[in-house]
Amino acid sequence: MTTPAELDAAQAAGAVFGVSPGASPALLRAIAASGLPFLPGVMTPSDVIAAREVGFDALKLFPAAQAGG
């Protein structure tokens, strides 16, 4: 999911966890408030810092190939 609206739709459909290819500040806040287990996608150090500031400690590196992985 990539938007708060997609998060709401996924939860309404019964999702028990989520994963995203990236995460905007609005999406990170919505996910944190939802309580849904989630792996936000990160690519840059700034992405990691933003996700950690909201409370995420498990992150998905995406796309890993471009980061040397």
Side-chain angles (χ1 to χ4, degrees), residues 3-69:
T3 67
E6 289 176 356
L7 170 65
D8 292 341
Q11 285 190 290
V16 295
F17 71 92
V19 179
S20 69
S24 69
L27 179 60
L28 288 171
R29 287 189 304 271
I31 295 163
S34 76
L36 184 71
F38 201 88
L39 284 174
V42 297
M43 175 64 174
T44 68
S46 294
D47 294 341
V48 172
I49 291 167
R52 299 221 5 115
E53 283 181 350
V54 180
F56 292 95
D57 57 8
L59 308 169
K60 172 188 164 193
L61 177 61
F62 183 82
Q66 283 77 357

